[in-house]
Amino acid sequence: MIIVRIIGGLGNQMFQYAYAKSLQTKGYKTFIDTTGFRNYKLHGGYGLDLFKIDIENSLPFTNFLSKIRLIKSLKEKSLLFNERLTKPSEDAYIKGYFQTEDYFKEIRAVLLKQFVLKKELSNSTISYLRDITIQKNSCSLHIRRGDYISNKKANEVHGTCDLEYYKRAVKLMRSKFKDVRFFIFSDDIDWVKKNLKVQHATYINHKVIPHEDMHLMSLCKHNITANSSFSWWGAWLNQYENKVVIAPEKWFVSKENEVACNNWIQL
C-alpha cells in the first residue's frame, strides 16, 4: 500500500496527485492522504475534488494513523527528480512536492482526462472563455503575488518574478506572433494594472474561483508563467500542439530545480 500526502495550494496538490497516479498505473495500490487539510486553511484548502480524479482518499480508514505507523515513511529530499521515488517499497507513506513532469509525463493522456473540472463554469468564466477561443494567438500571463509578498518565509524561498521578466516575455511572444492577445491573471490584479502596461490585453478579474482561472490559462494557445505551480499547470494542461511556453529561469531564490519543462523557454 502506498499513501501519498496531499498538502499545499491547488498546484501543489496536483503535482502530488499526478505522482500518486503514476504509481497507481505501475500497479501499486495507491491512496492519497488529505487529513492535513483539517487544520490547513491557506490557498482555499483542498481542491482536488473539483476534478475528475479517481484515486481513493485514505481519510475514511478508521485505523488510518495506525496504518501509517506500521509502514515506511519516505520524504522527498530535494526538489530535483529522484528516480528512487518512482519505485518505492510496496508499503510506504510518501511526502513531497514532486515538482517535475519527470514523475508523470508518461501518463499525460490519463491526467488530461482527470484534471477536468466537474462543475459548470461560472458566467464570467464563460465570457472570458469565448474571448480567448476566438483569438488566433491567445497568451496567458500569470503574476503571482499574494503570500509571495506578504509571507516572509514564502518570499525567502520563492521570491517573485520582477516586471522586467514579464516585459521580456511579452516582447519575445510578440516577436513570434504579431497578432498575440494577452490574458493577464493575478491574485493582485489592481497592482498589475498599475505596474504592467500591456497593449492588447485583457485583465482577468477573478478572486474566488482560481480553478476556473487555471482552466482559462490552459485554453490559451501560449503561456507566460510565474514561478508558481498554479500557472505551471495552466501551461502543462494546454493541449495546443504548437504552444509556446515562457517560464522564469529561476524558480526558487537559491535552490536548484527542474520545474520548467524541457521544451519551455526560460528567461
Side-chain angles (χ1 to χ4, degrees), residues 19-246:
Y19 167 70
K21 188 65 183 176
S22 71
L23 294 181
Q24 187 189 64
T25 60
K26 293 174 183 176
Y28 288 94
K29 186 177 181 181
T30 307
F31 300 89
I32 56 174
D33 168 29
T34 63
T35 56
F37 287 99
R38 288 174 174 173
N39 300 311
Y40 188 89
K41 306 301 180 184
L42 299 175
H43 310 297
Y46 181 64
L48 289 178
D49 55 352
L50 297 165
F51 300 111
K52 296 179 179 180
I53 64 170
D54 63 0
I55 293 182
E56 185 178 344
N57 193 322
S58 59
L59 187 59
F61 293 161
T62 57
N63 59 343
F64 173 64
L65 292 178
S66 63
K67 284 181 179 291
I68 288 180
R69 294 190 185 102
L70 293 174
I71 63 178
K72 183 178 181 179
S73 180
L74 295 178
K75 186 175 182 179
E76 183 183 43
K77 293 183 178 180
S78 78
L79 294 168
L80 300 177
F81 175 68
N82 185 344
E83 188 172 359
R84 176 171 169 265
L85 291 176
T86 67
K87 302 173 183 178
S89 59
E90 289 297 328
D91 293 307
Y93 180 79
I94 307 178
K95 298 179 181 179
Y97 289 97
F98 317 108
Q99 291 186 351
T100 167
E101 70 166 354
D102 289 339
Y103 285 112
F104 50 79
K105 60 185 177 183
E106 72 279 1
I107 61 163
R108 176 175 170 80
V110 174
L111 294 174
L112 288 174
K113 292 179 180 179
Q114 297 211 336
F115 286 145
V116 173
L117 297 180
K118 294 192 295 187
K119 295 183 179 180
E120 292 185 6
L121 300 175
S122 65
N123 290 334
S124 58
T125 293
I126 291 173
S127 178
Y128 288 128
L129 184 152
R130 289 170 179 161
D131 197 8
I132 287 172
T133 53
I134 65 172
Q135 304 299 323
K136 183 178 180 180
N137 281 296
S138 54
C139 178
S140 71
L141 185 156
H142 179 230
I143 297 181
R144 169 75 178 271
R145 285 176 59 78
D147 61 330
Y148 279 16
I149 300 294
S150 62
N151 186 300
K152 182 179 179 181
K153 184 177 180 180
N155 184 266
E156 289 174 348
V157 173
H158 297 280
T160 56
C161 297
D162 60 27
L163 291 173
E164 287 305 311
Y165 159 69
Y166 289 106
K167 290 176 182 178
R168 294 197 307 273
V170 167
K171 183 178 180 180
L172 178 57
M173 199 65 75
R174 282 208 169 109
S175 72
K176 293 179 175 293
F177 310 103
K178 302 301 181 185
D179 55 355
V180 63
R181 174 82 182 190
F182 294 96
F183 293 84
I184 301 178
F185 301 79
S186 179
D187 51 8
D188 192 352
I189 203 70
D190 291 334
W191 182 92
V192 175
K193 287 180 178 179
K194 292 176 183 177
N195 292 278
L196 184 65
K197 305 297 183 181
V198 180
Q199 292 184 332
H200 308 299
T202 297
Y203 294 83
I204 309 296
N205 195 17
H206 275 170
K207 293 184 178 179
V208 294
I209 42 177
H211 55 286
E212 293 192 7
D213 278 358
M214 184 186 289
H215 178 62
L216 289 174
M217 289 181 193
S218 74
L219 295 178
C220 292
K221 288 187 168 67
H222 313 289
N223 311 95
I224 297 172
T225 80
N227 57 334
S228 163
S229 60
F230 184 81
S231 50
W232 188 98
W233 279 104
W236 196 85
L237 294 173
N238 177 356
Q239 298 183 57
Y240 181 56
E241 184 177 358
N242 298 314
K243 70 181 179 182
V244 172
V245 179
I246 299 176

